[in-house]
Amino acid sequence: MSESNFAVFGHPIRHSLSPRIHSVFGQQLGIALQYTAIDAPPETFATQLQAFDGRGANITLPLKQAVLPLCAEISDFARRVGAVNTLTRRLDNHWRGDNTDGAGLVRDITQRHGLDLRERHGLILGAGGAARAAAFALLDAGVAELTIVNRTPERADALADAIGEPDRVHTRYWDDLDSLGNFDLIMNATSAGHSRESLQLPFAIVAPRALCYDLSYGVAASAFLAWAHVTKAGYVHDGLGMLIEQAAESFAIWHGQRPDTDAVYEELRSALPLRASD
Ligand code: NAP
């Protein structure tokens, strides 16, 4: 095993910002490391992971579920979410799986943007891996109620069932969004923006001073952010900060030290086409 080798596995992976983020963290704390992006189609991922000699790895789309059976140990949060984004090599050479997406999201909202999640009435759009991490983390952070709406309703129901809190978590149909009242927390956890598809969202779902948050960033977040800016939302943010905070959580697992995230946030923010409001 190479102590200083780290990687992110995904497919496609060319545009991943993780190598840059971890390199800045390492420089900041004087930790020598190599962090590479490895393109791993699902068919060859297990073999590629077996050949990897590093101490830790991040796992991204579309492999976060596929990696579960390759872990000898899985953290409680990753098990609840059903997805792993961080692997750490144990002393016996087997992998431990964690999921840092939820902690990264909550830290971005509460620490960077200074917003309180407690007692909010939330709406999550989407029910994929990111929505699952967001839902569990937001409930753990004290959100009062969550409504989950997904294009494929069965996946929303499956997420609500996995959470198992019928008093706090409800599912509704996309076509009924008009009649659901309003929410003071609206999370776009769909991947629609990556294929330039825009979501049909009524303005009426946004409560005055609400937080509208898109888990994606860059061009993929632009349509949702543009919509949110013309609503009554008080706060509109993309997922760049979540990306950096989840990376910092992974870094802390591997190196035992949490890096300062502000410098890399400012660097990457200035390179993105859109700026969210603060
Ligand atoms: P995923 O597992 O593939 O799930 C995609 C979700 O988007 C599903 O709920 C899917 O609905 C929905 N969807 C896709 N196209 C849609 C459309 N045209 N209209 C309505 N719904 C649509 O992906 P994921 O891992 O959850 O990622 C979701 C988003 O979160 C992505 O934009 C990703 O970049 C972002 N993300 C950000 C971070 C971060 O650190 N900032 C971390 C993880 C993910 P169906 O179930 O009907 O297919």
Side-chain angles (χ1 to χ4, degrees):
M1 175 186 68
S2 167
E3 278 292 327
S4 57
N5 264 6
F6 298 86
V8 56
F9 290 82
H11 182 68
I13 199 67
R14 208 168 54 250
H15 298 300
S16 173
L17 296 173
S18 295
R20 175 68 192 147
I21 295 170
H22 281 270
S23 154
V24 172
F25 287 166
Q27 284 164 17
Q28 185 193 107
L29 291 168
I31 296 172
L33 60 90
Q34 277 205 314
Y35 187 110
T36 49
I38 298 178
D39 188 39
E43 314 82 75
T44 55
F45 169 53
T47 316
Q48 288 174 274
L49 183 64
Q50 206 170 19
F52 175 64
D53 74 342
R55 187 150 64 87
N58 286 124
I59 306 298
T60 187
L61 277 179
L63 307 169
K64 289 184 185 181
Q65 281 92 31
V67 73
L68 285 166
L70 307 176
C71 298
E73 182 189 342
I74 295 173
S75 71
D76 180 52
F77 186 75
R79 188 177 300 286
R80 284 198 287 156
V81 171
V84 159
N85 78 337
T86 304
L87 291 178
T88 310
R89 200 184 288 278
R90 303 190 316 187
L91 288 177
D92 65 4
N93 219 23
H94 290 108
W95 293 112
R96 174 188 159 86
D98 284 282
N99 186 313
T100 63
D101 282 339
L105 172 67
V106 168
R107 199 172 170 102
D108 185 48
I109 294 173
T110 58
Q111 307 288 308
R112 170 163 295 102
H113 301 306
L115 297 168
D116 199 339
L117 283 166
R118 286 171 299 180
E119 299 308 319
R120 285 189 188 256
H121 291 253
L123 170 68
I124 293 195
L125 304 166
R132 291 182 68 95
F136 280 101
L138 292 172
L139 289 163
D140 288 352
V143 162
E145 271 191 320
L146 264 190
T147 298
I148 306 166
V149 171
N150 192 46
R151 181 178 60 179
T152 308
E154 295 77 14
R155 290 183 84 190
D157 290 339
L159 173 53
D161 288 348
I163 294 168
E165 290 196 59
D167 293 343
R168 290 174 80 196
V169 179
H170 323 281
T171 59
R172 297 287 183 264
Y173 294 115
W174 203 288
D175 286 347
D176 293 339
L177 275 172
D178 273 335
S179 56
L180 299 186
N182 63 27
F183 301 87
D184 57 9
L185 172 67
I186 298 178
M187 314 290 301
N188 179 20
T190 76
S191 56
H194 289 284
S195 45
R196 305 285 192 278
E197 292 169 82
S198 56
L199 303 170
Q200 297 305 312
L201 299 173
F203 293 137
I205 59 175
V206 184
R209 308 288 299 151
L211 164 61
C212 290
Y213 191 104
D214 195 320
L215 273 67
S216 64
Y217 45 86
V219 175
S222 60
F224 178 81
L225 297 185
W227 168 83
H229 276 297
V230 294
T231 67
K232 293 177 181 159
Y235 309 92
V236 179
H237 295 294
D238 70 5
L240 178 67
M242 172 186 173
L243 174 80
I244 295 167
E245 296 303 331
Q246 63 78 28
E249 297 290 324
S250 299
F251 191 96
I253 289 171
W254 296 330
H255 305 286
Q257 296 180 70
R258 199 174 197 289
D260 172 52
T261 52
D262 288 344
V264 72
Y265 179 81
E266 290 306 326
E267 176 195 321
L268 295 178
R269 171 61 69 207
S270 63
L272 279 181
L274 281 174
R275 192 180 175 94
S277 71
D278 284 313

